[in-house]
Short mmCIF file of all heavy atoms in Angstrom, two decimals:
data_model
loop_
_atom_site.label_atom_id
_atom_site.label_comp_id
_atom_site.label_asym_id
_atom_site.label_seq_id
_atom_site.Cartn_x
_atom_site.Cartn_y
_atom_site.Cartn_z
N HIS A 299 -5.41 38.89 -86.49
CA HIS A 299 -6.29 38.82 -87.63
C HIS A 299 -7.52 39.77 -87.51
O HIS A 299 -8.10 40.19 -88.44
CB HIS A 299 -6.66 37.40 -87.88
CG HIS A 299 -7.25 36.68 -86.80
ND1 HIS A 299 -6.35 35.76 -86.06
CD2 HIS A 299 -8.39 36.73 -86.12
CE1 HIS A 299 -7.13 35.34 -85.06
NE2 HIS A 299 -8.35 35.85 -85.07
N ASP A 300 -7.97 39.94 -86.14
CA ASP A 300 -9.18 40.80 -86.00
C ASP A 300 -8.82 42.25 -86.44
O ASP A 300 -9.70 42.82 -87.15
CB ASP A 300 -9.40 40.84 -84.51
CG ASP A 300 -9.92 39.51 -83.90
OD1 ASP A 300 -10.38 38.70 -84.68
OD2 ASP A 300 -9.81 39.33 -82.69
N GLU A 301 -7.62 42.59 -86.14
CA GLU A 301 -7.17 43.93 -86.61
C GLU A 301 -7.18 44.07 -88.09
O GLU A 301 -7.69 45.00 -88.68
CB GLU A 301 -5.82 44.18 -86.09
CG GLU A 301 -5.34 45.58 -85.94
CD GLU A 301 -3.91 45.63 -85.54
OE1 GLU A 301 -3.58 45.09 -84.41
OE2 GLU A 301 -3.02 46.24 -86.27
N LEU A 302 -6.70 42.89 -88.77
CA LEU A 302 -6.69 42.87 -90.22
C LEU A 302 -8.08 43.00 -90.77
O LEU A 302 -8.33 43.73 -91.75
CB LEU A 302 -6.01 41.65 -90.66
CG LEU A 302 -4.56 41.65 -91.11
CD1 LEU A 302 -4.04 40.28 -91.41
CD2 LEU A 302 -4.36 42.60 -92.27
N VAL A 303 -8.93 42.24 -90.18
CA VAL A 303 -10.38 42.21 -90.64
C VAL A 303 -10.93 43.63 -90.58
O VAL A 303 -11.63 44.16 -91.51
CB VAL A 303 -11.21 41.18 -89.97
CG1 VAL A 303 -12.67 41.34 -90.20
CG2 VAL A 303 -10.74 39.74 -90.40
N ASP A 304 -10.73 44.29 -89.47
CA ASP A 304 -11.15 45.65 -89.18
C ASP A 304 -10.70 46.54 -90.25
O ASP A 304 -11.50 47.36 -90.87
CB ASP A 304 -10.69 46.16 -87.80
CG ASP A 304 -11.59 45.63 -86.73
OD1 ASP A 304 -12.67 45.00 -87.00
OD2 ASP A 304 -11.17 45.74 -85.57
N ARG A 305 -9.37 46.48 -90.50
CA ARG A 305 -8.86 47.36 -91.55
C ARG A 305 -9.43 47.12 -92.86
O ARG A 305 -9.75 48.06 -93.67
CB ARG A 305 -7.29 47.17 -91.67
CG ARG A 305 -6.59 48.29 -90.80
CD ARG A 305 -5.15 47.95 -90.55
NE ARG A 305 -4.36 47.84 -91.74
CZ ARG A 305 -3.12 47.43 -91.81
NH1 ARG A 305 -2.50 46.96 -90.74
NH2 ARG A 305 -2.46 47.44 -92.94
N PHE A 306 -9.65 45.86 -93.16
CA PHE A 306 -10.19 45.43 -94.51
C PHE A 306 -11.70 46.08 -94.56
O PHE A 306 -12.05 46.55 -95.66
CB PHE A 306 -10.20 43.86 -94.59
CG PHE A 306 -10.98 43.36 -95.78
CD1 PHE A 306 -10.35 43.39 -97.00
CD2 PHE A 306 -12.24 42.85 -95.58
CE1 PHE A 306 -11.07 42.88 -98.10
CE2 PHE A 306 -12.90 42.44 -96.69
CZ PHE A 306 -12.30 42.39 -97.93
N LEU A 307 -12.42 45.95 -93.54
CA LEU A 307 -13.77 46.45 -93.53
C LEU A 307 -13.84 47.94 -93.76
O LEU A 307 -14.64 48.49 -94.38
CB LEU A 307 -14.45 46.04 -92.25
CG LEU A 307 -14.94 44.64 -92.08
CD1 LEU A 307 -15.48 44.29 -90.72
CD2 LEU A 307 -16.00 44.33 -93.22
N LYS A 308 -12.90 48.69 -93.07
CA LYS A 308 -12.81 50.09 -93.25
C LYS A 308 -12.64 50.46 -94.72
O LYS A 308 -13.29 51.38 -95.24
CB LYS A 308 -11.75 50.70 -92.43
CG LYS A 308 -12.16 50.86 -90.90
CD LYS A 308 -11.54 52.03 -90.33
CE LYS A 308 -11.86 52.07 -88.83
NZ LYS A 308 -11.13 51.09 -88.07
N VAL A 309 -11.66 49.78 -95.34
CA VAL A 309 -11.29 50.01 -96.78
C VAL A 309 -12.54 49.74 -97.64
O VAL A 309 -12.92 50.51 -98.46
CB VAL A 309 -10.16 49.13 -97.24
CG1 VAL A 309 -9.99 49.29 -98.69
CG2 VAL A 309 -8.88 49.55 -96.53
N ALA A 310 -13.29 48.60 -97.30
CA ALA A 310 -14.44 48.28 -98.02
C ALA A 310 -15.49 49.29 -97.92
O ALA A 310 -16.27 49.63 -98.85
CB ALA A 310 -14.93 46.88 -97.61
N GLU A 311 -15.67 49.82 -96.69
CA GLU A 311 -16.73 50.78 -96.43
C GLU A 311 -16.54 52.14 -97.20
O GLU A 311 -17.51 52.73 -97.61
CB GLU A 311 -16.90 51.05 -94.93
CG GLU A 311 -18.16 50.50 -94.37
CD GLU A 311 -17.99 50.02 -92.99
OE1 GLU A 311 -17.58 50.86 -92.09
OE2 GLU A 311 -18.30 48.82 -92.69
N SER A 312 -15.20 52.41 -97.31
CA SER A 312 -15.03 53.74 -98.00
C SER A 312 -14.82 53.61 -99.48
O SER A 312 -14.64 54.62 -100.16
CB SER A 312 -13.81 54.40 -97.29
OG SER A 312 -12.72 53.57 -97.49
N ALA A 313 -15.00 52.34 -99.99
CA ALA A 313 -14.95 52.13 -101.45
C ALA A 313 -16.15 52.70 -102.10
O ALA A 313 -17.35 52.16 -101.86
CB ALA A 313 -14.70 50.78 -101.79
N PRO A 314 -16.12 53.77 -102.91
CA PRO A 314 -17.29 54.43 -103.40
C PRO A 314 -18.16 53.58 -104.34
O PRO A 314 -19.35 53.72 -104.48
CB PRO A 314 -16.73 55.62 -104.16
CG PRO A 314 -15.32 55.35 -104.41
CD PRO A 314 -14.87 54.40 -103.40
N ALA A 315 -17.47 52.63 -105.02
CA ALA A 315 -18.20 51.81 -105.96
C ALA A 315 -19.13 50.71 -105.37
O ALA A 315 -19.97 50.14 -105.98
CB ALA A 315 -17.26 51.10 -106.98
N LEU A 316 -18.94 50.46 -104.06
CA LEU A 316 -19.72 49.42 -103.41
C LEU A 316 -21.09 49.90 -102.85
O LEU A 316 -21.16 50.95 -102.25
CB LEU A 316 -18.90 48.81 -102.20
CG LEU A 316 -17.65 48.03 -102.63
CD1 LEU A 316 -16.95 47.60 -101.35
CD2 LEU A 316 -18.08 46.87 -103.46
N GLY A 317 -22.12 49.12 -103.15
CA GLY A 317 -23.41 49.41 -102.63
C GLY A 317 -23.55 48.91 -101.25
O GLY A 317 -22.69 48.13 -100.77
N LEU A 318 -24.70 49.11 -100.64
CA LEU A 318 -24.90 48.76 -99.25
C LEU A 318 -24.90 47.25 -99.13
O LEU A 318 -24.39 46.70 -98.17
CB LEU A 318 -26.35 49.30 -98.81
CG LEU A 318 -26.55 49.30 -97.30
CD1 LEU A 318 -25.52 50.32 -96.66
CD2 LEU A 318 -27.96 49.74 -96.96
N ARG A 319 -25.56 46.58 -100.10
CA ARG A 319 -25.65 45.05 -100.01
C ARG A 319 -24.31 44.47 -100.11
O ARG A 319 -23.98 43.47 -99.41
CB ARG A 319 -26.58 44.49 -101.09
CG ARG A 319 -28.05 44.53 -100.64
CD ARG A 319 -28.92 43.97 -101.68
NE ARG A 319 -28.51 42.63 -102.09
CZ ARG A 319 -29.10 42.02 -103.16
NH1 ARG A 319 -30.08 42.67 -103.85
NH2 ARG A 319 -28.68 40.81 -103.53
N ASP A 320 -23.44 44.94 -101.08
CA ASP A 320 -22.12 44.44 -101.24
C ASP A 320 -21.29 44.61 -99.92
O ASP A 320 -20.73 43.63 -99.38
CB ASP A 320 -21.26 45.22 -102.27
CG ASP A 320 -21.83 44.70 -103.59
OD1 ASP A 320 -22.30 43.62 -103.74
OD2 ASP A 320 -21.56 45.46 -104.61
N ARG A 321 -21.54 45.84 -99.31
CA ARG A 321 -20.78 46.05 -98.07
C ARG A 321 -21.20 45.11 -96.98
O ARG A 321 -20.33 44.57 -96.25
CB ARG A 321 -20.99 47.52 -97.59
CG ARG A 321 -19.85 48.34 -97.98
CD ARG A 321 -20.01 49.79 -97.54
NE ARG A 321 -20.19 50.63 -98.66
CZ ARG A 321 -20.79 51.74 -98.70
NH1 ARG A 321 -21.40 52.23 -97.65
NH2 ARG A 321 -20.90 52.49 -99.81
N SER A 322 -22.51 44.90 -96.82
CA SER A 322 -22.85 43.95 -95.69
C SER A 322 -22.47 42.49 -96.04
O SER A 322 -22.13 41.73 -95.07
CB SER A 322 -24.37 43.98 -95.45
OG SER A 322 -25.16 43.30 -96.44
#
Side-chain angles (χ1 to χ4, degrees):
H299 51 258
D300 294 339
E301 199 184 306
L302 260 177
V303 168
D304 281 348
R305 266 167 61 190
F306 174 78
L307 283 174
K308 280 214 183 74
V309 172
E311 248 148 57
S312 55
L316 289 177
L318 199 63
R319 273 184 52 192
D320 285 337
R321 261 183 244 153
S322 78

